[in-house]
Amino acid sequence: MNTPFRISALILVSILLSAANLVAAKIPKKSKKDEVVTIRTSLGEIRLILFEQTPLHRANFLKLAKSGLYTGTTFHRIIQNFMVQGGDANSKDADPTNDGQGQPNEVTIPAEIRPELLHKFGAVAAARQGDFANPTRASSSTQFYIVQNHNGTTHLNGQYTVFGQVISGLEVVDKIAAQPKDERDRPATDIRMTVTVQKLKKKKIAELYGYKYE
């Protein structure tokens, strides 16, 4: 008498379990590891992590860092109590006048401006053309800046994509910003960088650098 009911119940449980498994499969598991980017300069080392909330910028930066594109580039623009900027491939050559101009027909990265990612001290953000030529606020595919103002640069919030944070070497950022420079804010002496990437457990990153993952 109860057999059909039991079979129907079993079928229903099976369907529910299958649905639960499909939902679980669609939710990606958070990785227990992260990639730490190290920028080595003659003034010291800067280490940073890149935010998962800005996947396009994160993937692009890691790709360029691993390919060696950043190695040999300079911090070509420095403004004390504001920021230090670098990453332009033009800065590898012997012509200082083209630093910061970028490459012809350079591909841009769509903006990933998020309200929770702010321009605080040590924030890593993407440079870009001004709104008049770039109303969508798309980012340069290579050039980035690091906020050096200890109080942050709040007037830039919501205007540029913040995609990372310095977790070690903030004093090096200060040293770079304090270097002698010309009227174009270009350092009098080239500050070249070597960029590498290392994958570590998030627990280890927290232990080494005190960075807290949310």
Side-chain angles (χ1 to χ4, degrees):
M1 297 285 294
N2 294 328
T3 301
F5 175 78
R6 289 177 181 174
I7 292 174
S8 298
L10 288 172
I11 291 173
L12 179 60
V13 170
S14 178
I15 291 172
L16 291 173
L17 287 173
S18 297
N21 288 334
L22 284 173
V23 171
K26 290 181 180 180
I27 301 174
K29 293 182 179 179
K30 284 191 175 182
S31 174
K32 293 183 178 181
K33 293 185 177 182
D34 200 356
E35 295 183 275
V36 177
V37 177
T38 299
I39 301 175
R40 295 180 174 85
T41 75
S42 59
L43 298 173
E45 297 182 352
I46 302 167
R47 289 185 174 82
L48 53 95
I49 56 95
L50 307 176
F51 298 138
E52 294 179 357
Q53 300 100 304
T54 54
L56 299 178
H57 286 72
R58 174 186 168 90
N60 178 70
F61 194 96
L62 288 173
K63 178 182 177 181
L64 297 180
K66 291 175 182 179
S67 73
L69 181 137
Y70 284 130
T71 294
T73 61
T74 71
F75 283 99
H76 63 268
R77 183 169 177 247
I78 57 173
I79 303 176
Q80 195 164 21
N81 295 319
F82 184 30
M83 60 89 217
V84 298
Q85 181 174 331
D88 185 7
N90 290 338
S91 64
K92 291 184 178 184
D93 64 29
D95 180 9
T97 64
N98 65 9
D99 293 359
Q101 294 183 9
Q103 303 298 304
N105 302 315
E106 181 179 329
V107 177
T108 56
I109 308 298
E112 294 181 297
I113 299 170
R114 297 182 62 94
E116 74 272 21
L117 303 179
L118 304 176
H119 281 77
K120 60 184 180 180
F121 182 30
V124 182
R128 66 174 178 84
Q129 287 187 310
D131 287 358
F132 64 93
N134 178 29
T136 64
R137 296 177 171 173
S139 302
S140 164
S141 61
T142 64
Q143 294 187 57
F144 64 94
Y145 61 91
I146 301 174
V147 175
Q148 186 268 327
N149 190 308
H150 290 212
N151 295 317
T153 54
T154 56
H155 64 287
L156 297 181
N157 289 337
Q159 299 185 52
Y160 294 77
T161 297
V162 174
F163 64 95
Q165 177 66 37
V166 172
I167 58 174
S168 174
L170 288 170
E171 73 284 356
V172 178
V173 178
D174 282 339
K175 289 179 183 178
I176 293 172
Q179 295 305 297
K181 60 182 184 178
D182 63 20
E183 66 281 357
R184 297 185 300 118
D185 296 321
R186 186 182 187 279
T189 302
D190 286 347
I191 305 172
R192 296 199 178 275
M193 63 181 86
T194 299
V195 181
T196 58
V197 181
Q198 181 183 20
K199 183 173 283 189
L200 295 172
K201 289 183 178 180
K202 290 180 178 179
K203 183 177 180 181
K204 186 67 174 179
I205 294 172
E207 291 174 355
L208 289 173
Y209 308 113
Y211 182 75
K212 295 182 180 179
Y213 287 91
E214 295 182 359

